[in-house]
Amino acid sequence: MKEIWFFFKTHLLSDMRNKRAIFWALIFPTLLLFILVLTFTNMGKSSLNFKVIIINEASPTAKGVNYANSLVKAFKSISYPNKGAFFTLTFMKPDNINTAFKKVEYSEADIVIVIPKTFNLEVMRSVLLSKVGISFASAKINVFYLPNEASSSLAQGVVQGAMDEINSYVISKLHYKLKTFTIHSKTIGEMMKSPSYTDFVSPGIIVMGAFTSGLLLIAPKLASMRRYGIMKKYASTPAKSHFFFLGFTMSKIFTMLIQYFLLAFLAIYVLNSSIHILSIEAILYYFFICVAYVLIGFDIGSLVSGPTAVGALTSFINLPLEFLAGIYFPLFSLPWYVNIFVYANPLWYSTNAMRQLMGVGLSATPMWMNILVPSLWMLASLIFLSTRRIWKRS
Amino acid sequence: MEKIITVKNLKKMYGSFEALKGIDIEVYKGEIFGFLGPNGAGKTSMLEILEGLRRPSDGEIHMFGKEVQGDVLPELKERIGVVLQQTSFLDHLKVKEILELFTSFFKKTLVISDALKMVDLEEKSNDYPENLSGGQRQRLAIAISLINDPDLIFLDEPTTGLDPQSRESIWDLIEKLKSNGKTIFLTTHYMEEAQRLCDRITIIDHGEVIEMGTPEKLIMKYGGESKIDFACSPTPSIEVLKGLSENIQRIDDHCRITTKNITKTLEDIVLWSKKYNFSLTNVFLIEPTLEDVFLNLTGRELRE
């Protein structure tokens, strides 16, 4: 066991005294976080496009005039991708109403519009009675929003305005005497948080830092140790190979944990983020992805031994995976062939998972996928590594 | 004498290339055993098999009386020290920290300061290896190999690339280790090194043992004749020189006689110079070396 401790200690010391390692593991992610936050914090604030979730409880296949569908069409006409769109619509089933509320709480949507089951009936009744001059309660739609969140409140106002426009149109064109629709605004409760760009980008930078460290702390080191006979020297002693791998890996993961807390503290105490750094789930998941990335680093270090080749290969892997991980900006509207890489990218799943586990928002991918995909990478790395002769005799 | 290593019919294949073609050697306790050959002869392959870094393709190995099958056993590794051809250390670690790491691999170890004292590096324990000279780095590599107080030390070309002064200090150190009772298995392509240090030598070429024995016996058997170089004034004519010996040739401004009997030839030269009233200057004796042994055995220079 003392071998593991000494392998851990000496490799950690070696890294901590290595300016290059310190730069890539600690300084670079910190700088990147600063630069991104300072550059992009105010971007998009002036946009008047609101993310609206519509839940249509009224039967879409109802006989007669389907007022609910007409209303949805009206919303679609002023939504993305139409010019000057006010809304980006997402449709959800009535069963998912709680998920929709969560999305608003986590600022992934601004409001939820629920068209009630009785909507068609209420409109019909309102129209018929209006024709004969009898005043009756207008049909209601429910709008759920967060009163203490600016964009949600604004969105609620814009929906109210849109409904007034529709009512005016109905009154003037169809000569109805009364408003057909009424908005019933309901609050969802307390907003969970207000995710700023710092909140959005911090978990991604933490994931990126772990991935970069996995590659840049391990691959070049292992390659040079193989090239200059240090691995051979270890192998000529009674030291056990698995003790080396354990001690060596632990020293790298220790550095990655320092990186995690450094970035998280920076995000919270300097950049005013509200991410949950001490979430046990987040820390455990981070440890899990560190192991996966360390194994990828081992693969590269076992594949090539020249410093130029290691540098080229790490850049070749590192850059596209980072750009297709949604670390800096949300990924949407990508061409299908790029999406293939996104769906296979362990960083994308790790970033999604870390955002949810650090309380920034709901993961864009299910949690089981966020565990499965990095696990598959881990397994593939292990299988590949078992075919390489890092320590074994030839 | 106690046998430390016995190797029988050892073969090593790399694909279809046969690097070792049935090597037989025996290494005895307390000796410096030289394994000589040109680059690519198979020295390092042989050494790495004995160190447990490569598997043999065929053959038998016994070390400290135990048969080595498959991997070299950890208890055997406890008793060996290894200095590889490449002398590299983990970056950004001090001398004593590197040694500390290696102490963790063995059950029995020397005190770090004692290991450093043996190689005259005790004052460098807090230095980084990158700040040491080539000779000091090589001595550090030897200190690492000594940390477990081994009975058998493998040295793979320990003085390659070193300046003459550093080489001399490494030779002194190897002799000191021998006097402390260590058995040393040394590979080298420096014949001077082998001649000075080794008790017995095996010469290999193209993966085969071509001769073995003590340096003296090998030189006597295969070294050929000695040479005596001299210059004299005034410069004698060829006819006068031929009167001294038939085996004489003029090389630039001096003469060279090839002889088997050095004493008699030296006497002849002195008498001849007196007879013709020449004054002798710069008389050199060139004795055959292992270089000549290799040349005579293979028909080519060792470092061709």
Side-chain angles (χ1 to χ4, degrees):
Chain A
M1 290 303 279
K2 69 174 176 178
E3 290 150 273
I4 301 175
W5 163 245
F6 273 95
F7 273 128
F8 168 79
K9 187 180 120 179
T10 47
H11 283 279
L12 185 66
L13 258 180
S14 172
D15 282 344
M16 289 295 134
R17 289 176 186 158
N18 181 354
K19 287 175 192 152
R20 199 170 162 271
I22 291 288
F23 176 79
W24 286 111
L26 303 176
I27 298 172
F28 174 71
T30 311
L31 283 176
L32 189 66
L33 181 61
F34 257 117
I35 291 166
L36 286 171
V37 169
L38 293 177
T39 310
F40 297 113
T41 291
N42 293 315
M43 204 170 134
K45 281 271 169 97
S46 59
S47 167
L48 271 178
N49 190 296
F50 301 103
K51 286 169 274 180
V52 176
I53 296 173
I54 294 185
I55 295 176
N56 187 357
E57 290 179 343
S59 170
T61 55
K63 284 178 186 171
V65 184
N66 194 323
Y67 296 101
N69 282 1
S70 303
L71 185 63
V72 168
K73 267 185 198 168
F75 274 113
K76 277 184 179 172
S77 69
I78 51 170
S79 298
Y80 181 84
N82 293 315
K83 261 191 173 177
F86 286 110
F87 306 127
T88 299
L89 299 183
T90 307
F91 292 93
M92 293 182 87
K93 289 183 177 168
D95 302 345
N96 295 333
I97 194 157
N98 288 328
T99 311
F101 290 165
K102 280 262 177 241
K103 281 187 181 278
V104 176
E105 286 171 358
Y106 285 101
S107 288
E108 286 177 18
D110 295 309
I111 51 168
V112 179
I113 297 176
V114 178
I115 304 172
K117 218 180 251 182
T118 54
F119 184 75
N120 284 327
L121 195 67
E122 281 177 7
V123 175
M124 199 181 290
R125 187 175 56 196
S126 170
V127 167
L128 288 173
L129 292 174
S130 171
K131 273 185 177 174
V132 294
I134 301 170
S135 169
F136 201 82
S138 53
K140 291 171 203 156
I141 60 169
N142 297 319
V143 174
F144 296 87
Y145 75 110
L146 290 170
N148 58 341
E149 213 282 316
S151 63
S152 191
S153 298
L154 263 174
Q156 187 265 346
V158 173
V159 169
Q160 179 71 62
M163 294 308 296
D164 288 345
E165 280 298 311
I166 294 169
N167 273 327
S168 306
Y169 178 86
V170 169
I171 290 166
S172 64
K173 296 282 177 187
L174 303 178
H175 309 295
Y176 295 164
K177 294 191 173 70
L178 294 166
K179 279 184 182 179
T180 313
F181 311 113
T182 319
I183 289 274
H184 272 224
S185 296
K186 298 180 180 181
T187 57
I188 286 171
E190 279 304 300
M191 188 187 171
M192 296 303 288
K193 61 193 300 311
S194 176
S196 58
Y197 184 72
T198 314
D199 293 337
F200 175 82
V201 82
S202 298
I205 294 289
I206 287 170
V207 168
M208 184 221 72
F211 188 67
T212 310
S213 300
L215 261 55
L216 297 179
L217 288 184
I218 289 172
K221 188 94 173 183
L222 193 65
S224 81
M225 283 168 68
R226 285 174 57 231
R227 189 184 181 89
Y228 297 112
I230 295 169
M231 296 303 289
K232 258 189 190 177
K233 181 70 191 156
Y234 288 161
S236 73
T237 69
K240 292 172 188 72
S241 57
H242 53 277
F243 284 176
F244 162 75
F245 286 107
L246 259 173
F248 185 72
T249 303
M250 278 163 56
S251 71
K252 307 302 167 195
I253 291 178
F254 187 81
T255 310
M256 291 165 163
L257 282 171
I258 295 175
Q259 185 187 61
Y260 172 92
F261 286 107
L262 180 73
L263 283 169
F265 276 105
L266 178 80
I268 291 169
Y269 295 108
V270 181
L271 301 170
N272 295 323
S273 170
S274 52
I275 54 171
H276 304 157
I277 53 165
L278 293 177
S279 150
I280 295 295
E281 290 98 332
I283 293 170
L284 286 176
Y285 186 81
Y286 181 77
F287 183 80
F288 159 72
I289 58 169
C290 283
V291 175
Y293 299 157
V294 160
L295 286 171
I296 296 171
F298 269 120
D299 283 350
I300 298 170
S302 72
L303 193 64
V304 285
S305 60
T308 318
V310 173
L313 194 57
T314 47
S315 300
F316 179 76
I317 292 171
N318 198 14
L319 294 175
L321 289 188
E322 277 178 21
F323 279 108
L324 295 176
I327 291 170
Y328 315 113
F329 300 102
L331 297 177
F332 55 86
S333 303
L334 295 175
W336 65 267
Y337 49 87
V338 178
N339 269 332
I340 291 173
F341 291 102
V342 173
Y343 293 143
N345 185 358
L347 262 75
W348 187 50
Y349 296 94
S350 310
T351 305
N352 291 341
M354 285 301 281
R355 282 203 181 113
Q356 178 166 328
L357 297 172
M358 296 185 102
V360 176
L362 286 181
S363 169
T365 43
M367 275 313 276
W368 64 268
M369 285 283 282
N370 298 338
I371 293 169
L372 179 71
V373 176
S375 299
L376 289 176
W377 274 78
M378 208 188 274
L379 187 68
S381 301
L382 267 176
I383 291 168
F384 178 77
L385 204 56
S386 67
T387 66
R388 308 295 305 162
R389 288 195 180 94
I390 295 177
W391 186 289
K392 274 192 204 166
R393 306 194 322 160
S394 54
Chain B
M1 274 210 285
E2 186 188 338
K3 284 178 197 165
I4 299 291
I5 302 172
T6 309
V7 172
K8 283 181 188 162
N9 195 31
L10 190 76
K11 290 179 183 169
K12 177 66 186 173
M13 305 285 294
Y14 295 107
S16 59
F17 173 69
E18 205 174 1
L20 297 174
K21 301 170 182 170
I23 304 282
D24 295 290
I25 55 164
E26 285 176 345
V27 178
Y28 298 107
K29 189 177 180 179
E31 73 171 343
I32 300 181
F33 180 85
F35 204 63
L36 273 67
N39 287 330
K43 302 188 298 288
T44 300
S45 288
M46 174 74 188
L47 201 63
E48 290 191 345
I49 288 170
L50 295 175
E51 290 164 351
L53 299 173
R54 290 185 191 278
R55 285 178 199 277
S57 303
D58 198 9
E60 275 179 41
I61 302 169
H62 285 82
M63 218 184 279
F64 299 105
K66 285 186 179 167
E67 189 174 3
V68 178
Q69 287 178 324
D71 289 327
V72 173
L73 300 167
E75 63 253 40
L76 293 181
K77 287 186 174 180
E78 291 279 347
R79 297 182 68 181
I80 65 172
V82 172
V83 176
L84 297 171
Q85 210 174 84
Q86 274 179 317
T87 310
S88 294
F89 310 99
L90 208 56
D91 297 334
H92 312 290
L93 286 181
K94 292 175 184 173
V95 165
K96 68 174 180 192
E97 289 164 349
I98 295 170
L99 283 162
E100 252 175 26
L101 172 66
F102 280 88
T103 56
S104 73
F105 302 156
F106 299 96
K107 287 177 189 158
K108 181 191 80 174
T109 58
L110 295 178
V111 176
I112 288 170
S113 58
D114 289 350
L116 287 174
K117 200 172 177 183
M118 283 179 80
V119 297
D120 289 331
L121 283 180
E122 63 266 50
E123 285 172 12
K124 301 284 180 186
S125 69
N126 278 315
D127 286 15
Y128 291 99
E130 47 266 42
N131 299 331
L132 301 181
S133 69
Q136 287 171 329
R137 286 167 66 84
Q138 194 60 32
R139 279 190 274 146
L140 172 59
I142 295 175
I144 293 170
S145 76
L146 295 176
I147 200 73
N148 55 325
D149 193 19
D151 299 315
L152 170 64
I153 303 165
F154 293 104
L155 302 171
D156 194 359
E157 302 191 359
T159 60
T160 299
L162 296 185
D163 59 84
Q165 200 184 343
S166 303
R167 188 173 294 171
E168 191 70 37
S169 81
I170 298 291
W171 288 349
D172 288 343
L173 176 58
I174 294 170
E175 282 170 338
K176 197 162 109 185
L177 293 173
K178 190 203 164 187
S179 68
N180 287 346
K182 309 287 182 197
T183 306
I184 293 161
F185 191 111
L186 170 82
T187 74
T188 182
H189 56 241
Y190 293 126
M191 292 296 148
E192 188 195 357
E193 182 168 290
Q195 211 167 321
R196 166 159 167 188
L197 297 174
C198 296
D199 297 306
R200 286 190 313 124
I201 285 167
T202 290
I203 299 175
I204 67 160
D205 194 23
H206 300 301
E208 286 177 296
V209 172
I210 53 175
E211 196 51 79
M212 59 173 76
T214 64
E216 297 75 25
K217 279 184 184 166
L218 290 175
I219 290 166
M220 207 176 285
K221 196 170 170 187
Y222 299 104
E225 294 171 317
S226 301
K227 297 173 191 85
I228 299 168
D229 277 14
F230 64 93
C232 52
S233 106
T235 309
S237 66
I238 288 287
E239 290 74 31
V240 175
L241 281 174
K242 289 286 178 192
L244 174 61
S245 168
E246 281 301 307
N247 295 327
I248 194 163
Q249 52 180 316
R250 180 175 283 164
I251 302 165
D252 298 329
D253 59 345
H254 67 278
C255 308
R256 174 173 289 176
I257 294 179
T258 313
T259 178
K260 283 181 179 169
N261 190 336
I262 298 165
T263 319
K264 166 109 187 21
T265 307
L266 275 173
E267 280 174 12
D268 289 347
I269 292 169
V270 173
L271 290 172
W272 171 83
S273 66
K274 277 186 180 166
K275 181 181 169 185
Y276 289 101
N277 211 19
F278 290 128
S279 61
L280 285 172
T281 53
N282 298 332
V283 180
F284 293 108
L285 174 64
I286 305 168
E287 286 193 286
T289 63
L290 286 170
E291 202 86 50
D292 300 304
V293 172
F294 189 81
L295 181 69
N296 291 332
L297 282 169
T298 64
R300 59 196 175 89
E301 299 266 353
L302 190 68
R303 269 159 280 173
E304 264 178 14

